[in-house]
Amino acid sequence: MDKARVVSLFIGVVRAKSFSQAAVDAGLTPQAVSKAVRQLEDHLGVRLFHRTTRSLSLTEEGARLFELANPGLRLLDEALDHIQNSRLEVDGLIRVVAPMSIGNTILVPLLPEFQRRYPGAHFDVQLDDHFTDLVESKIDVGFRAGNPPERNLISRKLGEILLVPCATPGYLALHGTPQTVADLQQHRCTGFLHPSTGRVMAWELQVDGATVYQEMPAVARFNTVEGELTAVLNGLGIGQLPVFMVEAELASGALVPLLSQTATSNSGVFMYYQQRTLMPLRVRHFIDFVAERAPQRLAGQRAALA
């Protein structure tokens, strides 16, 4: 016997003061409701109702059960209503995950503007360069660089990632400015370690209309773009860096773009999430907001190289 079900039907009969109306409310036949109440009476070993063809009233035991069980069912109804209504609320927690480069440069700067629109929304932000399983980690929205996730997720491309070799004026004054891709082999270069494999990634270059992958002699290798950028800014060598992360340094002259014609944009920034059905309204608003604002942040990369 499903105790919760039969007690719920019993309470429905008491509230409706009718087996027939309780059946309508529950979407059942009167016979099914009557059978459920009889099962409950047999289980408890007491009669819960005085029944005649014209009247229905509670026994003493039935009144006691209703007195004890009704508040609990009301709390359950209220809890279910609250959860259902919360889908329509913009207040509450939004859990997001992103690589540090995207999080620090694109995602986090957008949060204040979103919270000005929706002051009741707040965030848990996890910055992690590894791909994160949304279900396992209880994440609402994820971001990644490179290619879209291959799993059963919705992904939206927010913009391209433009990669270009960069160095400081000080480094170039000491070591000279490379004029060709071959010249790069004679320079001190930095490398980036793939977050999943731990291997040094080859530089992706556009040469004669084709994308080529060139292994570079790395004087230092980094597992974060932020670390590599800091090294390049301190004159360690030449690094191939995402333009969206160094636009300010390029504009100020702190970094000089090299061989801009080799800049590639074969990878992108992607936002990913589960199906939009049953999604809280605050998460839907956040997804739409990022889809509107993030591409603007990524749109000026080629102009930065001009």
Side-chain angles (χ1 to χ4, degrees):
M1 182 182 67
D2 186 339
K3 294 180 182 179
R5 175 178 175 274
V6 295
V7 170
S8 176
L9 290 174
F10 161 73
I11 291 175
V13 173
V14 178
R15 290 176 178 174
K17 300 179 181 179
S18 163
F19 276 85
S20 297
Q21 185 58 50
V24 171
D25 295 340
L28 300 171
T29 65
Q31 293 80 6
V33 174
S34 180
K35 180 180 178 181
V37 172
R38 283 198 304 271
Q39 285 181 327
L40 181 59
E41 289 177 326
D42 291 343
H43 175 73
L44 296 175
V46 298
R47 291 178 63 84
L48 299 174
F49 290 103
H50 295 298
R51 304 178 181 88
T52 70
T53 56
R54 294 181 177 274
S55 66
L56 179 70
S57 63
L58 286 169
T59 65
E60 183 178 344
E61 291 79 10
R64 183 61 175 159
L65 177 60
F66 179 74
E67 179 184 351
L68 294 172
N70 188 46
L73 188 61
R74 286 189 182 277
L75 288 175
L76 177 60
D77 289 340
E78 291 173 5
L80 294 174
D81 288 343
H82 175 76
I83 295 302
Q84 186 176 38
N85 292 333
S86 70
R87 290 185 53 231
L88 305 178
E89 295 175 357
V90 294
D91 294 354
L93 180 64
I94 303 172
R95 296 179 175 90
V96 297
V97 64
M100 284 186 282
S101 56
I102 295 173
N104 291 331
T105 310
I106 298 174
L107 173 62
V108 175
L110 291 178
L111 300 186
E113 182 180 348
F114 184 80
Q115 288 190 314
R116 284 193 291 271
R117 294 189 188 183
Y118 306 103
H122 52 283
F123 292 88
D124 276 354
V125 180
Q126 177 181 332
L127 300 184
D128 189 341
D129 286 337
H130 293 83
F131 179 80
T132 301
D133 186 296
L134 300 188
V135 175
E136 182 179 336
S137 302
K138 299 179 180 178
I139 298 295
D140 295 307
V141 186
F143 298 83
R144 71 176 300 181
N147 298 315
E150 297 177 356
R151 310 188 184 193
N152 295 325
L153 297 166
I154 298 175
S155 65
R156 298 173 69 168
K157 186 174 182 179
L158 301 176
E160 64 182 13
I161 297 177
L162 195 62
L163 298 171
V164 68
C166 301
T168 61
Y171 172 87
L172 298 175
L174 286 174
H175 300 280
T177 300
Q179 302 298 318
T180 66
V181 171
D183 291 345
L184 290 171
Q185 295 286 337
Q186 310 306 315
H187 279 264
R188 298 170 59 84
C189 297
T190 60
F192 180 72
L193 298 170
H194 193 284
S196 297
T197 66
R199 297 178 180 176
V200 180
M201 295 183 65
W203 285 21
E204 184 181 283
L205 302 163
Q206 190 77 10
V207 178
D208 296 329
T211 300
V212 300
Y213 295 89
Q214 182 71 51
E215 301 286 346
M216 292 296 177
V219 297
R221 302 175 298 179
F222 300 87
N223 69 339
T224 69
V225 181
E226 290 79 5
E228 185 177 12
L229 172 57
T230 299
V232 173
L233 283 171
N234 281 276
L236 181 64
I238 299 174
Q240 189 181 44
L241 301 170
V243 175
F244 75 85
M245 289 188 64
V246 297
E247 286 184 78
E249 289 79 5
L250 294 174
S252 69
L255 287 179
V256 178
L258 305 171
L259 304 172
S260 296
Q261 72 277 9
T262 68
T264 61
S265 59
N266 292 329
S267 60
V269 175
F270 292 88
M271 173 172 58
Y272 62 98
Y273 46 90
Q274 299 180 68
Q275 297 291 332
R276 291 174 71 105
T277 56
L278 303 181
M279 178 183 291
L281 188 59
R282 61 184 176 275
V283 177
R284 184 177 295 113
H285 280 327
F286 179 68
I287 288 171
D288 293 340
F289 170 78
V290 173
E292 171 195 348
R293 298 290 286 110
Q296 300 172 20
R297 177 66 184 84
L298 293 163
Q301 294 181 89
R302 291 197 178 276
L305 300 181

